[in-house]
Amino acid sequence: MPRARTLLPVLLAAIGLVVAGCASGGYSSGAAAGGDGNGGATVAFASPASGASVTSPVKLSFNVQGTKIGKPETGDMHLHVYVDQSADYTIIYSTSGEVKVPAGQHTLKVVLAQPNHTETSTTASEQVDVTGGGSTGAPATTASRGGGYGYP
């Protein structure tokens, strides 16, 4: 019986650690619980290159490190893409997508977002020159800060 009394506190402490880990609320994709949720992740434009002349819709490709990109219901992070200073964004659930942009010089900004659409401080931006291709109008799939539809 003395040995059981010695092991009981150790066993209870181990159970407490397991329960605390399960209740931490962290994302399975590598996002940190707390802070801004980026978990040390990075995002950068792979294409188009900064300053490139492109047609609309602009085809985008991103390099994402330190997290998984996917649909929010899977617990994965996703990307919000802004054109210029617009409050609307296009949601992208993979490392590639496209956005409709009017002709002219524009700044594209990508922001890493948590499954609940809370944006992290992980961003990248670049300028492009849209030269044509039926580029009038708003982005194909946009959302306000309240959420919306995404690019598959």
Side-chain angles (χ1 to χ4, degrees):
M1 191 73 167
R3 183 176 177 119
R5 286 187 185 168
T6 305
L7 291 177
L8 184 59
V10 173
L11 181 60
L12 289 175
I15 291 171
L17 287 173
V18 169
V19 170
C22 290
S24 70
Y27 297 108
S28 63
S29 59
D36 77 354
N38 73 349
T42 62
V43 63
F45 280 88
S47 67
S50 187
S53 291
V54 296
T55 59
S56 185
V58 179
K59 295 189 183 339
L60 306 170
S61 180
F62 304 99
N63 291 321
V64 178
Q65 301 293 318
T67 193
K68 185 176 175 190
I69 302 297
K71 297 257 181 173
E73 56 269 18
T74 64
D76 293 335
M77 306 287 268
H78 62 279
L79 303 170
H80 292 175
V81 178
Y82 293 88
V83 177
D84 299 322
Q85 299 298 318
S86 176
D88 292 334
Y89 53 82
T90 299
I91 302 169
I92 299 181
Y93 299 121
S94 69
T95 56
S96 63
E98 61 183 36
V99 62
K100 288 185 181 178
V101 182
Q105 294 273 331
H106 296 282
T107 299
L108 303 178
K109 178 180 176 184
V110 61
V111 181
L112 184 65
Q114 296 179 13
N116 67 0
H117 294 286
T118 300
E119 293 183 343
T120 70
S121 63
T122 303
T123 68
S125 63
E126 66 180 21
Q127 291 188 341
V128 295
D129 182 22
V130 180
T131 59
S135 58
T136 60
T141 54
T142 61
S144 67
R145 293 250 181 217
Y149 301 98
Y151 185 86

